[in-house]
């Protein structure tokens, strides 16, 4: 029998997480099947995924009717619903968490409200509340890697939370996120607390980079670079990862059992129909990384993926792609900041839609 192509990715040191959640996948046994057959090793959620799950099914109606009797806000009702799903998914993934390298995988991610993306104190407060509410050692709280998010990342790591840093597009911001993680561990270790059970990922978004930049490349007569900037950026991010999580500073934390903050590739479905539907998954398989993929991309990869370690192939080519952007006066830092701003809005809109759906459901209950 042919080896499952998705499962084979794990042979190259990369963990595949599913970028999807709803009650059907949990209750039907489909999530368990994906873990057993495809080697799925974690799960991520976001406001858009929950909005789709709650709006397009009746699975949440009874809970919404019940919670609405308690005079809760729509935000509170949503997080009650989400926490329930996250707890059940975390319990299904617990055997993965408890494997021979305990805590290497098996995580389920729940995001703080996107409305807090630029609010440091609000983010810290809600992250701590959600961590306590879910009450599972294999949960990660998602915090956007915005400028105000950096202090929140450091603080929550120092408090012992597992953090999934989301909405990363640019290399300088990624570096600051990794440093915030290290500083959080140092602060916790300095206070005499253990750091050997804390886990974190830095979610670097891919396809949205190319969607924004590819039309600019055409204008600058650099069409041959279309679909290459995101992958080049990811390869350079991995170089930064290897730099920061080696050497004397990191070794002091490593001696206390600290785990490197792995890079996680997000936004890995191809948005351009001209590209292969497994393009981003294919290009960035490599050791000590995570790739979170939507269901349709997972199914495509299972059908026609080509698993091979490619993350560190042609690093000179990656450098050359970014150098050509600079030469053409394409400001990648400015464009990645634009993507971050738009990314916040892309999560705010479905979150507002989600709250409206809950409001309507309350009145029809």
């Amino acid at each position: 029998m042919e080896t499952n192509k998705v499962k084979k990715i794990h042979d190259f040191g990369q963990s595949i997480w599913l970028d999807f959640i709803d009650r059907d996948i949990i209750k039907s046994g489909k999530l368990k099947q994906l873990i057993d057959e495809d080697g799925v090793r974690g799960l991520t959620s976001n406001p858009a995924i929950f909005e789709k799950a709650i709006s397009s099914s009746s699975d949440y109606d009874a809970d919404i009717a019940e919670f609405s009797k308690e005079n809760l806000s729509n935000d509170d009702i949503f997080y009650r619903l989400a926490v329930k799903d996250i707890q059940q998914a975390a319990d299904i993934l617990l055997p993965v968490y408890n494997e021979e390298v305990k805590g290497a995988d098996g995580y389920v991610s729940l995001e703080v409200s996107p409305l807090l993306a630029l609010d440091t104190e609000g983010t810290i407060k809600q992250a701590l509340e959600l961590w306590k509410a879910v009450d599972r050692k294999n949960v990660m709280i998602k915090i956007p890697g915005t400028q105000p998010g950096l202090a929140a990342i450091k603080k929550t790591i120092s408090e012992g939370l597992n953090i999934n840093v989301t909405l990363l597009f640019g290399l300088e911001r990624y570096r600051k996120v990794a440093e915030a993680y290290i500083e959080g561990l140092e602060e916790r270790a300095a206070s005499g607390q253990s750091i050997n059970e804390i886990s974190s990922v830095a979610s670097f978004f891919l396809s949205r980079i190319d969607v924004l930049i590819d039309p600019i490349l055409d204008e600058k007569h650099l069409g041959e670079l279309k679909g290459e900037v995101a992958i080049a950026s990811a390869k350079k991010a991995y170089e930064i990862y290897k730099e920061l999580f080696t050497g004397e500073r990191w070794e002091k934390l490593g001696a206390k059992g600290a785990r490197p903050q792995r890079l996680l590739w997000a936004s890995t479905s191809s948005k351009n129909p001209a590209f292969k539907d497994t393009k981003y998954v294919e290009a960035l398989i490599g050791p000590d990384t995570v790739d979170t993929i939507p269901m349709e991309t997972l199914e495509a990869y299972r059908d026609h993926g080509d698993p091979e370690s490619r993350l560190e192939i042609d690093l000179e080519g990656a450098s050359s792609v970014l150098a050509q952007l600079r030469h053409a006066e394409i400001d990648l830092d400015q464009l990645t900041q634009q993507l971050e701003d738009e990314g916040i809005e892309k999560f705010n809109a479905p979150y507002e839609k989600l709250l409206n759906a809950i409001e309507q459901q309350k009145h029809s209950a």
Side-chain angles (χ1 to χ4, degrees):
M1 186 174 158
E2 191 188 5
T3 309
N4 181 298
K5 293 183 173 74
V6 181
K7 205 168 195 174
K8 185 133 182 64
I9 292 173
H10 190 58
D11 294 348
F12 301 104
Q14 183 175 85
S15 299
I16 295 297
W17 292 3
L18 179 68
D19 193 25
F20 179 76
I21 192 170
D22 67 8
R23 291 202 167 164
D24 180 62
I25 196 178
I26 293 166
K27 290 189 163 40
S28 66
K30 183 77 189 288
L31 178 57
K32 177 78 168 63
Q33 185 182 354
L34 289 164
I35 294 165
D36 293 342
E37 295 179 11
D38 293 286
V40 165
R41 300 181 61 77
L43 182 149
T44 51
S45 68
N46 62 43
I49 288 171
F50 270 116
E51 188 276 320
K52 195 172 176 187
I54 292 169
S55 299
S56 63
S57 106
S58 58
D59 292 349
Y60 298 84
D61 295 0
D63 276 352
I64 292 171
E66 194 59 38
F67 295 150
S68 62
K69 293 175 189 169
E70 297 181 43
N71 205 22
L72 298 168
S73 70
N74 292 336
D75 293 83
D76 287 340
I77 290 175
F78 162 62
Y79 276 105
R80 287 270 194 101
L81 299 169
V83 163
K84 199 168 171 180
D85 285 9
I86 295 292
Q87 286 174 326
Q88 290 177 348
D91 291 344
I92 294 168
L93 277 153
L94 189 60
V96 179
Y97 177 87
N98 284 329
E99 282 177 9
E100 65 278 5
V101 183
K102 190 170 180 181
D105 273 310
Y107 294 96
V108 179
S109 295
L110 174 61
E111 189 152 353
V112 297
S113 167
L115 306 178
L116 297 172
L118 302 174
D119 178 349
T120 303
E121 292 307 316
T123 295
I124 293 167
K125 181 173 180 287
Q126 192 182 39
L128 291 165
E129 287 168 356
L130 292 175
W131 175 260
K132 193 174 176 184
V134 176
D135 192 25
R136 298 290 189 276
K137 56 192 173 185
N138 60 325
V139 70
M140 283 191 176
I141 305 300
K142 285 176 93 171
I143 293 177
T146 57
Q147 187 66 39
L150 295 172
I153 293 157
K154 179 181 171 182
K155 176 64 176 169
T156 50
I157 290 294
S158 76
E159 293 283 344
L161 277 62
N162 300 322
I163 300 296
N164 175 341
V165 183
T166 185
L167 274 187
L168 293 174
F169 299 95
L171 295 173
E172 278 315 301
R173 181 59 55 78
Y174 163 61
R175 179 183 287 276
K176 286 178 179 162
V177 160
E179 286 169 349
Y181 172 66
I182 291 169
E183 287 165 11
L185 291 176
E186 287 171 336
E187 193 172 293
R188 185 171 173 84
S191 69
Q193 297 178 86
S194 67
I195 56 173
N196 62 335
E197 290 198 347
I198 298 171
S199 196
S200 181
V201 292
S203 297
F204 201 90
F205 281 52
L206 298 168
S207 60
R208 292 189 200 178
I209 294 175
D210 289 334
V211 168
L212 178 63
I213 288 178
D214 284 357
I216 300 168
L217 295 173
D218 274 337
E219 288 168 18
K220 299 273 190 177
H221 308 295
L222 290 170
E224 72 280 4
L225 299 184
K226 279 163 67 170
E228 297 302 319
V229 176
I231 289 167
S233 297
K235 289 183 175 186
K236 300 308 282 185
Y238 192 63
E239 287 186 353
I240 296 169
Y241 161 83
K242 292 182 78 173
E243 170 204 329
L244 289 177
F245 293 101
T246 53
E248 191 179 342
R249 184 184 184 189
W250 177 252
E251 281 165 15
K252 284 180 186 169
L253 293 168
K256 293 184 166 83
R259 301 168 183 156
Q261 179 191 57
R262 287 179 295 173
L263 270 162
L264 176 150
W265 312 125
S267 184
T268 51
S269 60
S270 296
K271 307 283 193 288
N272 185 336
F275 298 155
K276 189 179 176 185
D277 54 4
T278 56
K279 172 186 172 73
Y280 296 102
V281 182
E282 214 83 285
L284 297 173
I285 296 171
D288 305 315
T289 55
V290 181
D291 193 337
T292 186
I293 57 180
M295 192 73 81
E296 54 272 26
T297 306
L298 186 148
E299 288 167 351
Y301 203 89
R302 185 196 296 140
D303 179 66
H304 51 264
D306 179 19
E308 196 65 56
S309 189
R310 298 184 181 90
L311 180 52
E312 296 187 272
I313 290 173
D314 194 20
L315 295 178
E316 284 182 15
S319 299
S320 168
V321 168
L322 300 189
Q324 286 180 75
L325 295 187
R326 288 191 293 273
H327 185 70
E329 297 181 340
I330 298 171
D331 187 338
L332 192 54
D333 290 338
Q334 185 184 342
L335 292 169
T336 53
Q337 183 60 53
Q338 180 186 332
L339 284 166
E340 181 189 300
D341 297 341
E342 289 173 358
I344 293 167
E345 185 50 43
K346 278 182 177 154
F347 281 159
N348 278 346
Y351 188 68
E352 297 284 8
K353 194 175 167 191
L354 169 67
L355 299 181
N356 289 335
I358 290 171
E359 181 67 26
Q360 287 169 357
Q361 187 59 41
K362 274 161 54 177
H363 292 301
S364 64

